[in-house]
Amino acid sequence: MSDQPLILGIETSCDETGVGLVRGTTLLANAVASSVDEHVRFGGVVPEVASRAHLEAMVPTLHRALSEAGVTLADVDAVAVTAGPGLAGALMVGVSAAKALAVALGKPLYGVNHLVGHVAAEQLENGPLTEPVVALLVSGGHTEILLVEDIATSATLLGQTLDDAAGEAFDKVARLIGLKYPGGPNIQKAAVGGDPAAIRFPRGLTSPRDLERHRYDFSFSGLKTSVARWVETAERAGETVPVADVAAGFQEAVADVLTRKAVLACQERGISTMVLAGGVAANARLRDLTRERCAAAGIELRQPRFSLCTDNGAMIAALGAAVVERGLPPSSLDFASDSSLPVTQVLVG
């Protein structure tokens, strides 16, 4: 058996209750309970519903992860938990559970950053990162380009969305064209039968003037408005809205601007490795276009499997393992969750 410590990771930042077990960069278990079906009728995540679902799912998900890994709580060497960012109530459930486990087991506790955890998940796929790397982080609530110089200690924000995150834009556009929540997978399905070149939607913050002021930043509100106006014009004219073409054109616009700016960041910073991470990184077109553009630019692309893209406890355990490996001090038991924890803070005190 490996002499590397066994890290238990807990993730409850949004609507997935995740518990993972990791040794170093080896994944042993990744148990997830999602409450997404409970939010469908509301067209988005309801914080109170998510928090209640975490309470109900925490213990069963923990037992499932231990069974999957073939270990017991007595085997755990440290506990890592998402301290933020995320939904305040949801975060409190996970942090409270992690504190209780750490105290009961007499093991150190590490409160870590949810966003950096998404990057750390890639290490469970292909081993330790050769740092520094540029990370394109695309999720329901965040769209950012990060410079990660040390996964355990240092993440620098290079660019971010100025309005909607890419995932939020997918949800809003899905509603506009009659698709259900969550928008990401439903738009991807609809786009399969569409022509991405049939309708060219705008690419936000890509003009020469915009690139001077917001070189690595994103904006998706204008794209969403453009889709809304296109659909309204078609309906006013009595035309049937070509859902597949609209979905494909919108998806292409998002993937185009995300990949273009991430590759630019790598080139201008002299970074030869990119990590594509976050829930929206499960989108097939985004993955394909990122792969194509990285290959053309001579950039190594690293991306986790689909199950490690969405929120999960394994990514938190992976980040916890990196922190433990560096010998960093554990968090105090009185630390508070922080719904707006900056990405620059990897570990809370």
Side-chain angles (χ1 to χ4, degrees):
M1 180 178 291
S2 171
D3 58 358
Q4 292 179 305
L6 177 64
I7 311 300
L8 171 70
I10 295 176
E11 154 60 25
T12 62
S13 66
C14 191
D15 60 346
E16 276 99 15
T17 306
V19 179
L21 287 153
V22 165
R23 286 191 189 276
T25 58
T26 300
L27 175 63
L28 302 181
N30 182 29
V32 178
S34 176
S35 62
V36 66
D37 290 342
E38 299 178 44
H39 304 282
V40 169
R41 63 193 177 101
F42 301 105
V45 176
V46 179
E48 293 82 359
V49 173
S51 299
R52 191 176 305 114
H54 287 309
L55 281 170
E56 296 172 354
M58 181 57 67
V59 173
T61 308
L62 172 62
H63 287 319
R64 196 149 47 90
L66 292 169
S67 176
E68 183 181 330
V71 300
T72 68
L73 281 175
D75 298 317
V76 171
D77 295 301
V79 179
V81 63
T82 295
L87 301 175
L91 289 169
M92 289 175 63
V93 175
V95 169
S96 297
K99 287 181 177 180
L101 282 169
V103 170
L105 298 173
K107 300 298 182 181
L109 173 66
Y110 297 86
V112 298
N113 194 295
H114 167 80
L115 302 180
V116 184
H118 275 299
V119 183
E122 208 291 322
Q123 297 194 124
L124 301 175
E125 196 73 56
N126 296 303
L129 290 171
T130 303
E131 295 156 328
V133 301
V134 163
L136 174 58
L137 178 60
V138 195
S139 70
H142 301 272
T143 303
E144 301 170 335
I145 297 178
L146 310 176
L147 174 62
V148 181
E149 296 174 302
D150 184 325
I151 194 69
T153 63
S154 177
T156 302
L157 181 64
L158 299 181
Q160 62 185 330
T161 181
L162 304 183
D163 38 62
D164 291 340
E168 291 174 311
F170 269 93
D171 290 337
K172 292 175 179 178
V173 168
R175 279 199 296 272
L176 288 172
I177 57 178
L179 300 178
K180 293 182 178 180
Y181 174 87
N186 287 316
I187 283 181
Q188 177 175 293
K189 289 177 186 176
V192 171
D195 178 2
I199 309 166
R200 181 173 175 81
F201 291 116
R203 276 64 167 159
L205 299 183
T206 57
S207 71
R209 182 176 179 180
D210 286 328
L211 287 172
E212 289 179 8
R213 299 169 53 207
H214 300 289
R215 196 156 191 80
Y216 305 132
D217 292 325
F218 305 101
S219 173
F220 297 107
S221 63
L223 171 59
K224 175 196 65 181
T225 300
S226 179
V227 174
R229 288 177 176 167
W230 197 98
V231 171
E232 288 169 4
T233 300
E235 291 177 336
R236 197 178 300 120
E239 301 173 359
T240 299
V241 174
V243 172
D245 286 346
V246 173
F250 164 77
Q251 180 177 257
E252 190 69 18
V254 173
D256 183 17
V257 69
L258 287 172
T259 55
R260 192 188 310 183
K261 292 206 171 193
V263 168
L264 180 65
C266 286
Q267 292 173 324
E268 295 186 338
R269 297 275 170 161
I271 306 297
S272 60
T273 304
M274 182 195 300
V275 174
L276 174 62
V280 181
N283 179 273
R285 180 53 184 155
L286 176 58
R287 292 170 80 89
D288 289 345
L289 188 56
T290 307
R291 189 181 303 111
E292 291 170 16
R293 288 184 168 171
C294 281
I299 298 167
E300 177 192 7
L301 176 62
R302 295 183 52 160
Q303 51 190 359
R305 73 194 76 161
F306 293 130
S307 62
L308 292 175
C309 286
T310 52
D311 295 344
N312 62 84
M315 71 184 195
I316 301 305
L319 181 53
V323 168
V324 170
E325 182 184 357
R326 300 298 194 283
L328 300 177
S331 305
S332 63
L333 285 174
D334 62 353
F335 82 85
S337 57
D338 184 351
S339 61
S340 57
L341 185 70
V343 71
T344 52
Q345 186 175 356
V346 179
L347 175 67
V348 301

